[in-house]
């Protein structure tokens, strides 16, 4: 990667190929040699620290491109399909997929709000690679959602939050909400 702004994500293995992101690009690599086989067009934002791997579902890769945005990329062509609305903050929670929806959260600081949000993965406008995908659901919480992964069942989504204060002895919250 060369710097913190171009760190390489943990690899995702699909169909015998490796997929990683660094800076503003997604790369498909040969699993055995590491040779770059394909490079995406520039993403709409940067992967920055790149600590969360890409997420795959329904033929798409979901990249956290900063500013509280997700960009959907075709896993086959590595071309953009859509970009979510900007929620703001660091997009630093793992992306969870379940039945046509993805879920993730943002963080700003311990005393500012972060947002957990949900997007459909459907590409409503295949002619526009940069269409703005609006959130289906958003929930904001002081303290935000720092590395707050989630578990999705048929009906529920379960995720945790930061505690919202600079005191490490205060309690965080666990949410169990209707998935849709």
């Amino acid at each position: 990667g060369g710097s913190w702004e171009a760190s390489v994500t943990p690899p995702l293995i699909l169909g015998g190929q490796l997929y990683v992101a660094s800076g503003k690009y997604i790369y498909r690599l040969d699993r055995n040699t590491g040779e770059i086989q394909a490079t995406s067009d520039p993403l709409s934002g940067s992967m920055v620290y790149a600590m969360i791997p890409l997420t795959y579902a329904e033929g798409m890769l979901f990249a956290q491109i900063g500013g509280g945005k997700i960009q959907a990329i075709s896993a086959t062509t590595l071309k953009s399909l859509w970009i979510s609305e900007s929620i703001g903050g660091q997009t630093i929670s793992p992306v969870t997929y379940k039945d046509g929806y993805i879920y993730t959260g943002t963080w700003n600081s311990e005393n500012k709000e972060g947002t957990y949000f949900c997007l459909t993965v459907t590409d409503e406008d295949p002619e526009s690679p940069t269409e703005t995908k609006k959130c289906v659901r958003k929930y904001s919480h002081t303290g935000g959602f720092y590395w707050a992964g989630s578990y999705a069942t048929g009906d529920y989504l379960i995720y945790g939050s930061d505690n919202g204060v600079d005191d490490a002895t205060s309690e965080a919250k666990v949410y169990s909400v209707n998935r849709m």
Side-chain angles (χ1 to χ4, degrees), residues 30-36:
D30 180 281
R31 184 175 167 181
N32 296 314
T33 67
E35 179 183 337
I36 296 173

Side-chain angles (χ1 to χ4, degrees), residues 98-135:
K98 179 74 173 174
D99 297 335
Y101 296 89
I102 56 172
Y103 309 88
T104 192
T106 66
W107 184 84
N108 287 296
S109 77
E110 281 300 325
N111 53 16
K112 292 183 181 176
E113 286 190 344
T115 303
Y116 219 86
F117 60 99
C118 169
L119 301 160
T120 66
V121 300
T122 306
D123 185 6
E124 287 91 1
D125 187 359
E127 299 300 315
S128 174
T130 59
E131 75 182 90
T132 300
K133 172 73 73 171
K134 297 292 183 184
C135 293

Side-chain angles (χ1 to χ4, degrees), residues 18-70:
L18 292 177
Y19 291 81
V20 297
S22 173
K24 288 188 165 203
Y25 296 94
I26 294 176
Y27 301 94
R28 182 171 47 237
L29 308 172
D30 180 281
R31 184 175 167 181
N32 296 314
T33 67
E35 179 183 337
I36 296 173
Q37 296 179 331
T39 303
S40 70
D41 292 336
L43 299 171
S44 179
S46 176
M47 299 294 290
V48 191
Y49 292 104
M51 299 175 89
I52 305 295
L54 299 165
T55 299
Y56 173 82
E58 297 190 28
M60 294 174 261
L61 299 167
F62 302 101
Q64 298 176 316
I65 57 172
K69 293 192 295 187
I70 303 291

Side-chain angles (χ1 to χ4, degrees), residues 147-171:
W147 281 16
S150 62
Y151 175 73
T153 69
D155 295 325
Y156 300 100
L157 181 72
I158 302 164
Y159 56 95
S161 71
D162 277 33
N163 60 15
V165 296
D166 289 327
D167 176 4
T169 63
S170 297
E171 296 179 11

Side-chain angles (χ1 to χ4, degrees), residues 139-142 144-145 157-162 173-177:
Y139 177 77
S140 295
H141 166 77
T142 300
F145 305 93
L157 181 72
I158 302 164
Y159 56 95
S161 71
D162 277 33
K173 294 182 179 176
V174 175
Y175 297 88
S176 178
V177 298

